[in-house]
Each structure stands twice: as C-alpha cells, then as structure tokens.
Amino acid sequence: MPHQKMPKLLTSEITPQDVYRQRREFMRLAAGTALGAALPYPIFAGEKLPDRVKSAYELSDKLTPYEDVTHYNNYYEFGTDKESPAKTAGSLKIRPWTVSVEGEVRNPKIWDIDSLMKLAALEDRVYRLRCVEAWSMVVPWVGFPLAELIKRAEPTGNAKFVEFTTLNDSAQMPGVNSSVLDWPYREGLRLDEALHPLTLLTFGLYGEVLPNQNGAPVRLVVPWKYGFKSAKSIVRIKFMEQMPVSSWMKAGPSEYGFYSNVNPTVDHPRWSQAKERRIGDFFKRPTLPFNGYADQVAQLYTGMDLQKFF
Amino acid sequence: MLITPTKAQQDKCLLAAKRLAFLVALIPLVKLLWLGFHHGLGANPIEKITRTTGYWTLALIMITLMATPIKALSGWSWPIRWRRMLGLFAFFYACLHFLTYLVLDQFFDWAAIVKDIAKRPYITVGFPAFLMLIPLAITSTHKMIQRLGARRWKRLHKLIYVIGIAGVFHFWWLVKKDITEPMQFAAVLTVLLGFRFVRWWRLR
C-alpha cells in the first residue's frame, strides 16, 4: 500500500502532548469558572472525558491493556494489517465533524459531534469484544445507548433497519485508495438490535477520548456481534425499510452475514469460531454464544434459524 | 588492466558468500527472538510468529526455485550449489511454522487440529504441503542422492512444484481480504514454473 506523503514538520513545531494537554486543561478550568460547563470539551485522544457515570455493565474479566486496545486494530481505511491504523490514523481530522441522522425518521438532523456527545450522560461500560478472526479483548468503553439518539430521531413505522456509514475521505484515509472493500464502509442493524440497551454509541475508552485508530470521534459498539459490525468514525445513521447490504456482506456473502452474532456453533468457512484467544492469554478459551450476552439478547432471535441467518 | 581471479579465488569468494547467505537466512528467526524478548511482537505474538515463519517458508521455496532458471539464463552454477542449504532453511521455517500452530496456537488440541485439516481449506492444502517437505529434507544428503540415483532423486524433488503451489494457495485462502502478498507470491511462482514449462515444451 502506498504511503501518504506527509508534509515536512520540524520537531520544534510540534506542540508536546503534555503542553497542549495542560493548555486545554487550563482552558477547560477557565471556561468552567467563567462560562459554566461550556467550551472547550475534550477532543483529543487521551483527554479525560468528564462527568462520566458508572454503569451496571461491569465484568470480572481482566481488562486488555490500553496499549493493546489501541495498537492492534482492524480499520481498513488505515491499512489492512493491525499495526497500520495506530501509525496512520493521525491524519484523520475529528473536528469539525457531523453525524447525519436521516431516512425513515420524523426528526432528521445533522448533529454536530460536540452536541451529540452531550445528548445523554456518558457511561463507563466494560464489554467483551470478539473479532471474527477468533481473538478477543475486554475494553472499558465510554458512551451512551444508541437508543437515546434513536428516541430523539423518532423512527417512522417504516423504519425496520439502521445503516451506519463510516467517513470515506481518501485525503485523510490512505486505505480507501485500495479497492479491498466497497467504500464507504457500511454496517447495519435491525431496529430492535439498534434499540437494545447494550448497543452503545461510543466516544471514548479507558475514560478518555477515543484514539483515531479506535474509531474517533464516534463509533458503535455492539458487544454480542463480531467486531466488524461496530462501525467506526460514523458520519451517517440512516433508518430504512429494507435490510442494508454491509461492506463485508458485499465482499463475501458466504462468509459474512447481516447478523454476524458471535456464535461458536457457526464456523466461518475459513476458521473455527468454537474458541478464541483473549489478547494477552496463551491458552484459547471457548467462545460463548452471543459473546456471553445471551441472557440479554437471545430473545431478539427467538424462532430464527441462526445457522441460516448467520 | 583487469586481473582475472583464479578458480581458487573464485571458489573462496563464493564460499564466503554462501556463509553470508546462511547468516542472512537466519535473520527472520533472530529478529523474531529479539522482538520476543523485547515485547516487540505486538498484541498477538502467536499470530505474528505464525505469519513470519510462514512468509519465510514460502519466500525460501521461491528462492530455491530460482536456481534452475538463473543457471539456464546466466550459466552461473552457484545458485544450484546453494539450493540445498536454502531448501533446508525453507524446511526449518516450515517446521517452526507448524510447531507454532501445534504448540502455541492449538496446544496439542488434536481434535481441533483434525477438524482444521478437514474443514479449513487453507489448512487442508497447507498440512500436506508441510508433510511433502519432509521426504525432500531427508533425501537432501549426498548419500541419499547416491542411494536413490540421480534420476529418481530428481523426480522425487519435483514435488517442490506441488508444494510451492499448495503453499501459495495456503496463504491465499487464509487472508481475509487483502490478497496483495499472496498475489505477489503467485506471480513469482507463475514465472518460475512457467519458465520450466516453456523449456519442457520446447525440448519435447
């Protein structure tokens, strides 16, 4: 993959991270005293997200280290190997950023990312993440249920599905110059899946703003489905009557289904899904149905043949 | 004026070069060990080791397959004289690759391994390719060549064509979507086997 030409920068021109963090911290404190909780809100990866509330979504599993969560990423817009996104995603500009909520809704709206972040209380939630490639992590995300946004959008009676679209900008994303997937990256959920309280509109991890390689400034986290269902850097959320066709469904219809629920009994044609390697572990562990969230989500699929609707 | 090196000087030079090639072929292993001891293998070390040893197995198979065309085109015979060493290195990396799968990845879970061989097409072709390398490694000594006779030995070692093809399919079927690297190997292998085919066709 050809590397993006980067403009030459003198080291002296780069503001050290601790300096800009201090600067922003100062501004936030100043704003806090002078203007109440107005500007500036944290923007950059690594900045603490304030006013988070604890949630009931805790796990006894050991957290995957921050370093691994942020340096082992599948984000094909920034390259197809897992080390690339951490190296190249710095070119993604996360402000200004808007998310268009459209389609079968009574209140379509183009949300500015800063107002979207304040739409509901940000929660700390620890979820298991299971990749279709048979590895897994445990990640403390920060976000609020997607349902909060959906409620405000007021889906019409025709809305049966929701489609999520990732930014597609070759100037910021070197990977979209390759035709490895059909860009922009699209993913989808059934409306009831999107409304499920586990489905998280996510802005941070480890209490801090999302690093670009993890899908900044806003991504989805659907913990009972394989990781690729959780679209990153979302610019559009569209409510539809017909089932959307996701990028991975297009790429390999026999390998990636619309539902893609974590299911140890349905193997990917090229690898078994019975077990997974938790990043940091030596031994593999058995994969749980719905990634361990069966109690919460299995009822969404009653009566469905999950071998067929994989 | 030019001084033509004597035969002895040439041989000395080539021997030094061969020793250097031996060390170069060890670099991927040394690098893996170095990274392993310095937390440099990333979040998923087992995947990294598997990928690296697999890559170099395939690369070394391609390199050994270059010896014959190089000799035919340039007359140089040293690639042929290096071929056994490099072929054994291919086998060495293939063993590391297989052991990584057996011990680190599956940890002797025989049921899972049998299932993989039966159900995962990339393993279905990869495993026999590994098995086929074994007789080639065993018969790589001078003694074995004499025992088998040059003719039978040559015929046996044509297995490497099948192994090369199986190896490329193994890589191709394993990758999820970005087939750039398997395609590069496929292109190189097509040229190398194509050369042999054309030569055979013309001598027919």
Side-chain angles (χ1 to χ4, degrees):
Chain A
M1 182 162 311
H3 276 271
Q4 285 279 97
K5 277 225 175 89
M6 297 289 280
K8 278 225 162 122
L9 257 183
L10 293 173
T11 350
S12 57
E13 289 179 73
I14 301 167
T15 313
Q17 202 179 32
D18 52 335
V19 172
Y20 85 60
R21 276 198 197 177
Q22 278 168 21
R23 226 183 257 162
R24 297 193 55 81
E25 190 58 30
F26 170 76
M27 287 161 75
R28 197 182 306 137
L29 285 171
T33 46
L35 303 159
L39 290 165
Y41 204 71
I43 292 174
F44 294 108
E47 291 189 292
K48 273 267 173 275
L49 286 163
D51 311 321
R52 299 181 329 268
V53 295
K54 265 183 80 94
S55 77
Y57 299 92
E58 301 267 340
L59 287 176
S60 54
D61 306 38
K62 193 170 149 280
L63 297 183
T64 304
Y66 182 85
E67 174 72 15
D68 290 342
V69 173
T70 57
H71 288 80
Y72 190 75
N73 309 99
N74 273 324
Y75 195 168
Y76 279 19
E77 283 84 339
F78 294 102
T80 52
D81 65 283
K82 293 183 193 50
E83 287 83 25
S84 282
K87 288 178 199 149
T88 61
S91 52
L92 178 68
K93 288 198 278 301
I94 51 170
R95 290 296 186 288
W97 190 280
T98 56
V99 180
S100 169
V101 176
E102 57 185 59
E104 294 290 346
V105 284
R106 276 179 208 96
N107 303 320
K109 178 174 174 169
I110 295 176
W111 285 85
D112 180 72
I113 185 71
D114 293 299
S115 28
L116 182 63
M117 277 173 96
K118 289 170 201 150
L119 182 146
L122 293 179
E123 300 173 30
D124 284 316
R125 292 191 178 195
V126 180
Y127 282 165
R128 282 178 289 267
L129 169 80
R130 170 63 155 79
C131 179
V132 72
E133 298 161 5
W135 53 267
S136 64
M137 293 184 178
V138 180
V139 186
W141 301 107
V142 185
F144 54 74
L146 177 66
E148 295 284 349
L149 177 63
I150 298 178
K151 268 193 296 191
R152 284 162 179 83
E154 289 185 42
T156 67
N158 290 333
K160 303 279 189 300
F161 295 93
V162 193
E163 182 189 58
F164 305 88
T165 307
T166 297
L167 179 72
N168 177 25
D169 180 358
S170 58
Q172 302 178 50
M173 300 171 139
V176 300
N177 293 312
S178 124
S179 55
V180 64
L181 285 175
D182 182 29
W183 313 111
Y185 191 88
R186 272 152 294 143
E187 257 311 335
L189 293 174
R190 223 166 53 189
L191 184 61
D192 58 344
E193 296 175 325
L195 281 166
H196 193 278
L198 275 170
T199 303
L200 197 69
L201 198 60
T202 305
F203 303 89
L205 55 83
Y206 268 95
E208 301 173 352
V209 175
L210 280 175
N212 290 357
Q213 64 268 30
N214 292 87
V218 58
R219 64 169 295 167
L220 203 65
V221 177
V222 193
W224 73 93
K225 291 173 181 282
Y226 294 118
F228 65 87
K229 291 297 291 181
S230 298
K232 300 187 178 84
S233 308
I234 294 169
V235 291
R236 189 167 68 228
I237 299 176
K238 189 177 177 184
F239 293 76
M240 310 161 77
E241 189 167 6
Q242 301 298 324
M243 180 185 283
V245 177
S246 74
S247 294
W248 279 110
M249 284 163 77
K250 255 193 177 164
S254 62
E255 300 182 28
Y256 309 97
F258 175 79
Y259 288 96
S260 291
N261 294 317
V262 175
N263 190 338
T265 64
V266 176
D267 285 347
H268 184 279
R270 283 178 290 149
W271 50 81
S272 163
Q273 298 293 22
K275 288 186 191 177
E276 68 200 52
R277 174 168 287 111
R278 183 69 54 81
I279 293 303
D281 283 2
F282 178 75
F283 291 107
K284 290 183 179 178
R285 63 178 67 210
T287 288
L288 303 171
F290 299 104
N291 201 20
Y293 298 96
D295 288 349
Q296 291 100 307
V297 300
Q299 93 283 349
L300 293 172
Y301 311 100
T302 1
M304 277 175 70
D305 179 359
L306 294 178
Q307 303 283 328
K308 195 173 155 210
F309 297 100
F310 58 89
Chain B
M1 75 181 248
L2 278 168
I3 303 166
T4 322
T6 64
K7 181 84 176 54
Q9 281 171 323
Q10 276 184 13
D11 283 351
K12 216 174 153 189
C13 222
L14 279 173
L15 188 65
K18 191 180 173 185
R19 284 179 179 156
L20 188 68
F22 181 92
L23 294 176
V24 170
L26 278 173
I27 288 176
L29 174 66
V30 172
K31 199 179 159 198
L32 272 182
L33 290 170
W34 170 267
L35 291 173
F37 285 109
H38 292 82
H39 302 284
L41 292 175
N44 198 344
I46 296 171
E47 179 191 50
K48 180 98 179 174
I49 296 168
T50 310
R51 291 288 176 107
T52 309
T53 51
Y55 183 92
W56 285 104
T57 303
L58 212 44
L60 282 157
I61 289 174
M62 299 297 145
I63 291 169
T64 59
L65 283 171
M66 285 173 193
T68 300
I70 289 176
K71 190 182 175 205
L73 296 173
S74 69
W76 297 337
S77 63
W78 56 267
I80 302 277
R81 281 187 272 149
W82 292 17
R83 187 170 57 185
R84 171 180 22 207
M85 178 184 83
L86 295 171
L88 285 171
F89 263 116
F91 180 64
F92 173 65
Y93 280 106
C95 288
L96 292 178
H97 185 64
F98 177 72
L99 286 173
T100 308
Y101 170 75
L102 178 71
V103 183
L104 300 182
D105 192 36
Q106 297 288 9
F107 199 71
F108 307 105
D109 184 345
W110 301 108
I113 291 168
V114 168
K115 216 175 141 210
D116 263 359
I117 294 170
K119 285 186 75 177
R120 315 286 151 231
Y122 78 96
I123 297 180
T124 315
V125 300
F127 183 64
F130 170 68
L131 292 182
M132 283 187 273
L133 276 174
I134 297 171
L136 303 199
I138 292 173
T139 57
S140 67
T141 61
H142 279 303
K143 251 205 178 130
M144 279 307 240
I145 299 175
Q146 282 170 0
R147 226 195 228 174
L148 282 171
R151 224 197 181 145
R152 267 154 70 198
W153 186 88
K154 271 193 172 168
R155 205 192 288 157
L156 173 65
H157 278 250
K158 288 214 161 61
L159 261 184
I160 197 67
Y161 306 154
V162 181
I163 296 168
I165 294 169
V168 169
F169 273 103
H170 172 66
F171 195 9
W172 194 300
W173 286 340
L174 145 85
V175 292
K176 203 159 81 177
K177 201 71 214 345
D178 185 359
I179 50 169
T180 314
E181 282 186 343
M183 257 166 71
Q184 289 163 350
F185 276 115
V188 171
L189 188 66
T190 306
V191 171
L192 293 173
L193 296 186
F195 173 86
R196 290 165 168 84
F197 180 76
V198 168
R199 203 174 52 162
W200 170 80
W201 185 263
R202 284 162 74 179
L203 291 173
R204 209 161 42 109

